[in-house]
Amino acid sequence: MTSRKPNRMEAGVQTAPPEPSEVVSKCCKFCGMCCHIICPPCPGKIVSKVSFHPPNPANYCLEVDTKLSTDDTRDPSKKRGRRSSSKSHQGPPRDRRSLRRSERENTQFRFNLTCNENHLVLNPTILACMQPMFALSSSGNVIACMYMRLTSSPLFTILFSHGNGGDLGSAAKFVWALGRCTNCNVFCYDYSGYGASSGKPSENNLYRDAKAAYRKMCQSLDLQPHEIILYGNSIGSAATVDLAAEVQAAAGVILHSGLASGGRILCGGKKPAWQCCDPFRNVDKIHAVNCKVLLLHGTDDKLVPAAAAALLYERVQESHKVEPLYIKEGTHNNLAMFPEFWERLHNFVYMDLADKQQSTSDEEEYVTCEEYVTCA
């Protein structure tokens, strides 16, 4: 029979009491675990952390254009007794009060890049097409917008919602090419917490920002819904589908590498068990879109597989389906490098929407893939 080894108490060995810091640490860990079980973190906060990645620093800046601002062109003799408004001229408005002051003083801004790799907009001709403006969302956030006017007689005006890792600066080259390809002017905006927009990014703010940009676009440019194409890239597809389902009378919708839902990305295309874990549910909203929908997707997209586009296509109303484009060897971020991408965009606007069966010689000179790549 084997003998049992006596424990420390039986051997008369006294154990040292735990250190106070160790007791506190264990108590904190236990309390934290209980809090997570009893009151788990809000799913919305988790979605915001995982889904949104604003560039830091931003790829652009908005500066006061002293040549166009009313305060700087006013007769100096009329400024007696007035306080200096330099505070409003230090940068773009960040809240409702500074936005109202900026509008009252007619402060004008100019758009400058801080990222030299996006060298297209350094061309003075392109910079002259870009007009910064601001919208106020229902959350109270100031939304930075940019209107790129490329033609005096556009077929439509496009409202562009960019992907989650970009901003107005990184999207400028693509926006220019998009307008040239389709003979459209383009209005784009930054989500809350992106670029010069105030606030913090979230799913609800994403939808509110899109609606604010849409309202600003209609008011400033005097546009009707049937004159507007809604374009969403990646996470911008969620803003686009949500807005299109509410507007109901847009000219058309373009979803570029669009997602079926956020949860399906993490679950291998399957619907998550809990709706609270499934944000950006385009698949549940797209049936309410009452206009033609074009889907553009890459077959080698690892982030949002092409099956997401196929699922969205199934849910589009039958009368609003147009031929989608699946680009072989296309990934999530490189579709603009393929000539067929620009050709399909051109044909969608001219033939599917504007019903122009034959383009004129001027219209045939739309942007090419090589022109986009080289920024010619």
Side-chain angles (χ1 to χ4, degrees):
M1 185 175 179
T2 58
S3 60
R4 184 176 62 87
K5 186 178 180 179
N7 58 32
R8 297 173 70 90
M9 292 294 294
E10 292 173 347
V13 179
Q14 293 185 353
T15 57
E19 294 289 333
S21 60
E22 185 180 350
V23 175
V24 173
S25 177
K26 289 183 178 180
C27 288
C28 289
K29 289 181 180 179
F30 178 76
C31 292
M33 184 175 64
C34 291
C35 287
H36 275 273
I37 296 173
I38 299 171
C39 185
C42 176
K45 292 183 178 180
I46 298 175
V47 169
S48 299
K49 287 285 186 182
V50 173
S51 302
F52 297 99
H53 305 283
N56 188 19
N59 292 309
Y60 72 99
C61 61
L62 295 177
E63 302 171 349
V64 174
D65 193 332
T66 56
K67 294 181 180 179
L68 296 177
S69 297
T70 302
D71 277 357
D72 295 309
T73 57
R74 193 180 292 142
D75 186 349
S77 63
K78 297 181 180 180
K79 293 187 178 181
R80 294 193 306 269
R82 291 179 60 88
R83 287 186 177 181
S84 171
S85 56
S86 59
K87 286 186 178 181
S88 65
H89 284 182
Q90 290 178 352
R94 303 297 295 175
D95 53 37
R96 186 191 302 265
R97 180 177 297 179
S98 60
L99 176 62
R100 296 300 184 224
R101 183 171 64 245
S102 177
E103 291 175 344
R104 185 172 61 250
E105 297 173 353
N106 194 27
T107 306
Q108 302 293 322
F109 293 85
R110 63 173 179 265
F111 186 97
N112 278 334
L113 282 189
T114 58
C115 180
N116 289 330
E117 68 182 25
N118 196 341
H119 59 278
L120 169 70
V121 295
L122 298 180
N123 185 327
T125 304
I126 304 301
L127 278 172
C129 301
M130 303 167 70
Q131 178 185 350
M133 56 183 70
F134 299 93
L136 186 66
S137 76
S138 58
S139 301
N141 296 330
V142 177
I143 306 304
C145 306
M146 181 185 71
Y147 175 52
M148 187 170 285
R149 187 176 186 272
L150 297 169
T151 175
S152 58
S153 54
L155 289 175
F156 301 96
T157 301
I158 298 173
L159 177 60
F160 179 76
S161 302
H162 60 69
N164 74 338
D167 58 18
L168 293 179
S170 60
K173 183 175 79 170
F174 180 84
V175 167
W176 169 82
L178 176 63
R180 290 231 21 227
C181 172
T182 57
N183 192 34
C184 294
N185 295 326
V186 187
F187 190 97
C188 49
Y189 64 101
D190 262 342
Y191 312 131
S192 295
Y194 280 68
S197 296
S198 65
K200 294 182 178 180
S202 70
E203 182 182 8
N204 288 333
N205 278 345
L206 179 77
Y207 302 142
R208 293 165 184 160
D209 298 343
K211 292 178 176 67
Y214 177 80
R215 287 193 302 269
K216 182 68 176 181
M217 177 183 184
C218 292
Q219 294 168 3
S220 300
L221 307 179
D222 192 23
L223 295 172
Q224 298 300 318
H226 67 271
E227 300 174 299
I228 299 172
I229 297 174
L230 305 177
Y231 189 121
N233 176 27
S234 188
I235 203 170
S237 65
T240 295
V241 171
D242 182 78
L243 180 61
E246 181 173 311
V247 170
Q248 288 291 313
V253 167
I254 301 173
L255 301 181
H256 172 175
S257 300
L259 47 100
S261 72
R264 282 175 167 83
I265 297 176
L266 301 177
C267 298
K270 297 180 180 179
K271 182 179 180 179
W274 297 324
Q275 279 201 341
C276 66
C277 300
D278 192 20
F280 314 116
R281 294 193 293 272
N282 290 341
V283 68
D284 295 335
K285 300 176 183 178
I286 198 166
H287 186 71
V289 175
N290 196 29
C291 60
K292 293 182 179 180
V293 179
L294 171 64
L295 294 158
L296 306 165
H297 221 98
T299 58
D300 290 353
D301 192 331
K302 305 301 182 184
L303 181 60
V304 182
L311 181 58
L312 290 175
Y313 184 77
E314 290 179 6
R315 302 292 180 91
V316 174
Q317 295 182 35
E318 201 65 35
S319 59
H320 298 320
K321 289 183 178 180
V322 299
E323 184 180 358
L325 176 65
Y326 297 99
I327 298 180
K328 187 178 180 180
E329 299 182 357
T331 63
H332 193 70
N333 296 315
N334 75 345
L335 300 190
M337 310 299 286
F338 294 85
E340 56 264 42
F341 173 82
W342 298 105
E343 182 180 357
R344 186 66 187 98
L345 278 174
H346 178 85
N347 291 338
F348 176 69
V349 173
Y350 273 87
M351 299 181 184
D352 294 323
L353 299 185
D355 197 23
K356 291 179 179 287
Q357 298 303 320
Q358 290 184 349
S359 299
T360 66
S361 58
D362 289 339
E363 293 166 347
E364 289 173 353
E365 297 177 0
Y366 60 89
V367 69
T368 64
C369 176
E370 293 78 10
E371 194 176 3
Y372 168 73
V373 174
T374 60
C375 305

